[in-house]
Amino acid sequence: MDNGPQRTIEPGSGRRKSLAFPKGRLLDSGALETVRDLLGDRPRQRDLLIEYLHLLQDRMGHLCSSHLHALAEEMNLPMAEIYEVASFYAHFDIVLEDETPPPPITVRVCDSLTCMLEGSTELHAALAAGVDPNKVRVVRAPCMGRCDTAPVAEIGHKHVDAATSESLMETIASGDHRAHIPDYETFDTYRAQGGYRLLESCLAGERTPGDMIALLSDAGLRGLGGAGFPAGKKWEFVRAEAKPRLMTINGDEGEPGTFKDRYYLEREPHRTLEGALIAAWAVEAERCYFYMRDEYPAVLHILAKEFAALDAAGLTQHCGMELRRGAGAYICGEESAMIESIEGKRGLPRHRPPYIAQVGLFGRPTLNHNVETLHWIRDIAEKGASWFADQGRRGHKGLRSFSVSGRVAEPGVKLAPAGITVRELIDEFCGGMADGHDFKAYLPGGASGGILPASMADIPLDFGTLEEHGCFIGSHAVVILSDKDDMKDVALNLMKFFEDESCGQCTPCRNGTEKAVKLLAKGGWDGDLLEELSQVMVDASICGLGQAAPNPIRSVLKFFPEDLR
């Protein structure tokens, strides 16, 4: 890049003289050629920045500053913007000029709650001590969405379930670090079993958006990503806004303890995809963006392949589908942060109002849905609203996919009635407690949903039933704890997660989570000080991360005083 003649003022003369070298960073022509070759004829759109950072990292193994500079030049963006985005996401490894690139192999060992319970701390230490650090890097990583097979590690893109140091060493030595693609229901199989007939009837005018909205409302289908907002109401709100409209699907399932979306997408992805295309038809969305977390490489492979099949079959003419790949940021599970990420930016939550139904992706009214919510649309349409609504217990409507992990005999995704209690969930769906463990406590809604004692195991599990106790159901991630678990360790593990995953935008969350970790780690909990800190975070944080982060602390203070002695 020609920066033009570089001149400086000659002291005392008022005149300028030419510099021997141009000011600023020099563009590496080889790096620019590499970037141009990698991008090919792809559009140099600002919103594709994160996709192109992935291309670079996948090719090079890391992101060096010369390639970031070349990417900035090619996309006509300031280097500062490229760097701030790349440095925000945990899965991008930036290497500056004077730094040594990471080893060729990276092993990520999950350190979230269920994996910690199953020995991931010891596993990390044993593995780090047994590898050559010049060839293998061993790092801690947040939840990988495989809590039912804890402890879990990832080598390259290959997950190792129920990992041991021996199995990890064998996988490292094998050299095969590609993602395992499970058997799943492909487009052809799904189509042969009646798939996409519902979509075709909608496109043909045999059903109206009003019909579908009424159907979902009667069924009681709610957003199953955490908030539980009625699906039919969402469609109404977005349809009320001016065109053009867009749609997003939130597949950033980063809440520790949650893995239901991965479960469905690795088995029958087209139920979700048909539901998405129907929802897009109903709100007349021009385009649908499917945001999937980077921790799910098999799902990313499956979706890319099946999107191509949908395009070939002509089923996306009313709404094109785009796949966007996250880069390791829990905050992007928050819908406005996800939208910022899709736009190629840091995943910082937006202030609300306006809500994304009014001003969402690229400033357009946007319908956002969770994977599981869309999964149920076809069944509800074919079997009727009452079929779904009548599945619940104790007056609650519908079915729920509970991600159950921890001290149970049979962890996994459990399809159970809304309103079931955790005691019933353990006994009827999980084979009881694991051998040698007595039920002590449970997380009803993942890391942010709080902790309740076994004495409160008969509360119906659904939206609105737990809030009076300072907890919530969220994404239905249930982690079971036993008499072998120290609640102080549990709370500290959860708070470390929030400290790492805070986006840093607001002071109460950024500094509050860090301060809470320090207070918890030193022992001798000061209940009054922790409560004061918690209240500030709840009152002043911008988004749900900071507002919910104190829940584990408050739960332990309230329900487990004996563990504080």
Side-chain angles (χ1 to χ4, degrees), residues 446-462:
S448 56
I451 311 170
L452 291 172
S455 60
M456 300 174 68
D458 295 318
I459 301 171
L461 296 177
D462 204 7

Side-chain angles (χ1 to χ4, degrees), residues 499 502-515 541:
E499 178 190 25
S502 173
C503 74
Q505 179 178 193
C506 68
T507 302
C509 178
R510 180 184 66 247
N511 290 0
T513 53
E514 180 183 8
K515 182 65 174 177
S541 295

